[in-house]
Amino acid sequence: MKLDILAITAHPDDVELCCAGTLMKHIDMGYTVGLVELTAGELGTRGNAPLRLKEARAAADVMGIQVRENLGLADGFFENNRESQLAIVRIVRKYMPDIVIANAVSDRHPDHGRGAKLTSDACFFAGLVKVPTELDGKPQEAWRPRAIYHIIQDYKLQPDFCVDVTAYMDRRMEAVRCFGSQFYDPNSDEPASAISGKEFLDVIIAAARNFGRSIGCEFGEAFTVQRPIGVPDLLKID
């Protein structure tokens, strides 16, 4: 199944917290979209890997995502090495996305920046015919995405572009709340974490409101780019 957009991120909930509105918007525009996580987020302070994967499936249903896979790399300890790169190469060649969305290029969580570089490197190698891979015992053809866009996470990086997701903000937060084990729960006896505070989801909403304000709408999602974006028509830039 060829996809138009494939989000490859380090953890379940990275997409929901940062770009779910953009993905839902493009699904409604008729594009095909899939998600792949590098890890199951098993080092998260709250919950556990099986629960995170169950939550991820529920969030995918909310977003209307039909393709969601997990590569099972080691949370916190995956490396940008040949083995990890080839795991992503196989996925990229399997789904042949035109656009890949990856983690923030720099962030508080080490997995995010490392995952961004790993994904970027793997997408390059996926386009090399002399990097052989197989899927289900059959050789895969080389494929390189047209562009890689990076989400913005904890660090307040300067966006290169923003997407108006005002119409999708309620569903985005519904998808976020599918990861209930990670967020505020007054009845939980698990340790507190950086994202389990009562105010955390308010911060997520405020960030989207700030990005939206920058482009003249109520809510937005922000991205950085690896290379300049080609513009075919100046009058179609918002």
Side-chain angles (χ1 to χ4, degrees), residues 23-197:
L23 299 186
M24 289 187 285
K25 183 173 187 174
H26 282 78
I27 289 171
D28 284 354
M29 292 167 65
Y31 295 105
T32 52
V33 177
L35 309 181
V36 172
E37 286 87 42
L38 305 182
T39 81
E42 63 269 21
L43 294 186
T45 302
R46 294 186 166 201
N48 53 57
L51 179 55
R52 289 289 287 276
L53 295 179
K54 181 179 179 180
E55 292 170 336
R57 287 191 294 269
D61 289 341
V62 170
M63 293 185 289
I65 300 286
Q66 295 182 339
V67 173
R68 188 164 202 164
E69 295 194 30
N70 192 286
L71 296 185
L73 302 185
D75 188 20
F77 296 98
F78 68 82
E79 298 180 7
N80 187 356
N81 57 22
R82 185 175 185 271
E83 180 181 4
S84 298
Q85 290 164 0
L86 288 177
I88 298 176
V89 168
R90 293 185 189 96
I91 283 290
V92 169
R93 290 175 174 177
K94 176 180 179 179
Y95 291 115
M96 299 180 292
D98 294 305
I99 302 296
V100 163
I101 293 176
N103 281 109
V105 293
S106 176
D107 206 47
R108 182 185 67 85
H109 196 307
D111 280 0
H112 295 166
R114 190 179 338 112
K117 185 65 165 64
L118 168 59
T119 298
S120 177
D121 290 349
C123 285
F124 178 84
F125 292 132
L128 298 181
V129 296
K130 292 186 178 180
V131 176
T133 57
E134 292 185 354
L135 181 68
D136 298 329
K138 297 180 180 180
Q140 292 181 295
E141 294 184 5
W143 180 271
R144 183 174 295 146
R146 192 172 74 237
I148 301 174
Y149 302 136
H150 295 273
I151 57 178
I152 293 178
Q153 298 183 263
D154 276 355
Y155 285 178
K156 305 306 178 188
L157 306 180
Q158 179 65 38
D160 291 311
F161 69 91
C162 295
V163 177
D164 180 353
V165 296
T166 303
Y168 296 88
M169 197 61 192
D170 287 343
R171 277 177 63 201
R172 173 185 166 183
M173 295 310 298
E174 182 182 352
V176 167
R177 292 187 181 96
C178 287
F179 293 91
S181 67
Q182 301 301 302
F183 304 125
Y184 178 71
D185 178 358
N187 300 314
S188 175
D189 59 1
E190 293 192 273
S193 74
I195 64 174
S196 68

